[in-house]
């Protein structure tokens, strides 16, 4: 079983906030696939369904962002799951709007929801970060994350969430790099290609004549009878 936890703050006041992109992602997955109606359990809204042939629990903690781990941790203990069975989806200030990154483990990056998950669920879970951009100065961060997405953001936001929902089964199959490529291409970016070692250049092929010319020539005698004979045959190059 896999838990997909979208992080955010409960209530209509926060529904369209940048900080709630995790909730939006969970809702998009819920709409696209045959999940049960949302119900309340584990201090959260939950919905059960199936992706890629595996049972999945969607969860939206209702504890407010800073205590997200209480809800997710309770669900994990109930189903006897490990951190590897959890995917958390949340907003990332340090990624440009529309960019996505997915990795296992790591630091919380100052994100209070992730700090709470780390404390209650362990750290070795997969983290799907969805970029919301940085306002530029630290003093504006709180206002930025707790403000609604701008109209200009809608051009990438809907596409990103719908593409994630369309390909949510890749999370189950752990096709992480393929999913990142699909999200990047959907919002007009480039696919993330694996770096391949550059092939070493082979020396240009040379004919046997050219090779022979490059070989060291035998040293000719400068004095003596042989030298005199060669001068008569080829002449003196110095003249």
């Amino acid at each position: 079983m896999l838990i997909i936890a979208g992080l955010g703050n409960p209530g209509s006041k926060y529904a369209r906030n940048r900080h709630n992109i995790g909730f939006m992602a969970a809702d998009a997955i819920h709409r696209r696939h045959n999940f049960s109606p949302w119900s309340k359990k584990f201090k959260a809204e939950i919905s059960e369904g199936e992706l890629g042939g595996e049972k999945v629990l969607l969860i939206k903690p209702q504890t407010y962002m800073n205590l997200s781990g209480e809800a997710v941790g309770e669900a994990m203990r109930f189903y006897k799951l490990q951190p590897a069975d959890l995917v958390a989806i949340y907003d990332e200030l340090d990624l440009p709007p529309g960019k996505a990154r997915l990795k296992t483990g790591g630091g919380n990056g100052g994100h209070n929801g992730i700090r709470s998950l780390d404390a209650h669920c362990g750290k070795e879970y997969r983290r799907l970060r969805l970029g919301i951009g940085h306002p530029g100065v630290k003093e504006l961060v709180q206002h930025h994350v707790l403000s609604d997405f701008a109209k200009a953001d809608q051009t990438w936001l809907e596409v990103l969430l719908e593409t994630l929902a369309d390909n949510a089964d890749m999370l189950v199959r752990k096709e992480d790099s393929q999913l990142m490529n699909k999200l990047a291409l959907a919002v007009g970016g480039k696919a993330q290609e694996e770096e391949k070692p550059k092939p070493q250049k082979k020396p240009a092929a040379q004919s046997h004549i050219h090779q022979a010319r490059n070989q060291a020539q035998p040293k000719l005698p400068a004095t003596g009878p042989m030298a005199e004979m060669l001068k008569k045959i080829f002449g003196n190059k110095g003249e």
Side-chain angles (χ1 to χ4, degrees), residues 106-159:
N108 58 54
H111 194 289
N112 288 331
I114 296 303
R115 183 180 286 112
S116 180
L117 256 64
D118 287 352
H120 290 270
C121 308
K123 294 186 177 182
E124 294 304 305
Y125 57 90
R126 285 188 289 162
R127 302 154 191 245
L128 176 51
R129 298 176 293 150
L130 304 180
I132 61 169
H134 197 287
V137 293
K138 185 178 179 181
E139 290 74 19
L140 295 178
V141 164
Q142 184 173 356
H143 174 75
H144 180 72
V145 299
L146 293 179
S147 293
D148 289 357
F149 281 103
K151 287 184 179 179
D153 292 320
Q154 302 306 316
T155 56
W156 61 263
L157 179 61
E158 184 175 348
V159 172

Side-chain angles (χ1 to χ4, degrees), residues 98-214:
K99 298 294 183 181
R101 293 291 183 272
L102 179 56
K103 69 173 183 177
T104 299
N108 58 54
H111 194 289
N112 288 331
I114 296 303
R115 183 180 286 112
S116 180
L117 256 64
D118 287 352
H120 290 270
C121 308
K123 294 186 177 182
E124 294 304 305
Y125 57 90
R126 285 188 289 162
R127 302 154 191 245
L128 176 51
R129 298 176 293 150
L130 304 180
I132 61 169
H134 197 287
V137 293
K138 185 178 179 181
E139 290 74 19
L140 295 178
V141 164
Q142 184 173 356
H143 174 75
H144 180 72
V145 299
L146 293 179
S147 293
D148 289 357
F149 281 103
K151 287 184 179 179
D153 292 320
Q154 302 306 316
T155 56
W156 61 263
L157 179 61
E158 184 175 348
V159 172
L160 179 71
L161 295 177
E162 293 305 316
T163 304
L164 174 58
D166 287 343
N167 299 283
D169 56 325
M170 287 183 167
L171 290 173
V172 173
R173 295 196 298 267
K174 297 185 178 180
E175 296 173 348
D176 294 357
S177 60
Q178 295 94 320
L179 176 58
M180 291 302 96
N181 286 340
K182 285 187 175 292
L183 295 181
L185 292 171
V187 296
K190 295 181 179 180
Q192 300 173 17
E193 296 181 355
E194 294 182 5
E195 292 186 9
K196 298 180 180 179
K198 295 181 180 179
Q200 293 183 350
K201 290 184 178 180
K202 294 182 179 179
Q206 296 180 343
S207 69
H208 64 281
I209 297 175
H210 188 74
Q211 292 172 2
R213 287 175 178 170
N214 288 339

Side-chain angles (χ1 to χ4, degrees), residues 2 4 15 35 44 53 56 58 74 76 89 95 114 129 144 150 162 186-187 215 222 229-230:
L2 181 71
I4 298 178
F35 276 77
V56 172
L58 290 175
E74 188 174 333
M76 288 179 67
I89 308 177
L95 283 177
I114 296 303
R129 298 176 293 150
H144 180 72
E162 293 305 316
V187 296
Q215 291 176 355
M229 183 179 70
L230 291 172

Side-chain angles (χ1 to χ4, degrees), residues 220-232:
L220 300 177
T223 59
M226 181 62 75
E228 291 299 324
M229 183 179 70
L230 291 172
K231 284 182 181 180
K232 289 179 182 179

Side-chain angles (χ1 to χ4, degrees), residues 30-136:
H30 183 269
R31 286 193 302 270
R32 184 56 46 88
H33 301 278
N34 189 27
F35 276 77
S36 66
W38 292 105
S39 60
K40 294 187 180 298
K41 193 175 183 180
F42 310 124
K43 303 177 184 176
E45 289 187 356
I46 65 168
S47 175
E48 294 182 356
E50 190 175 287
L51 292 172
E54 185 171 334
K55 187 176 179 180
V56 172
L57 180 75
L58 290 175
I59 181 169
K60 297 189 296 181
Q62 301 296 294
T63 55
Y64 288 94
M65 183 69 81
N66 294 3
L67 301 176
S68 298
E70 292 184 5
V72 179
E74 188 174 333
M76 288 179 67
R77 288 188 295 274
F78 180 85
Y79 290 107
K80 298 179 172 60
L81 301 177
Q82 301 300 315
D85 303 313
L86 169 65
V87 177
I89 308 177
Y90 59 100
D91 58 301
E92 176 56 78
L93 280 165
D94 293 331
L95 283 177
K99 298 294 183 181
R101 293 291 183 272
L102 179 56
K103 69 173 183 177
T104 299
N108 58 54
H111 194 289
N112 288 331
I114 296 303
R115 183 180 286 112
S116 180
L117 256 64
D118 287 352
H120 290 270
C121 308
K123 294 186 177 182
E124 294 304 305
Y125 57 90
R126 285 188 289 162
R127 302 154 191 245
L128 176 51
R129 298 176 293 150
L130 304 180
I132 61 169
H134 197 287

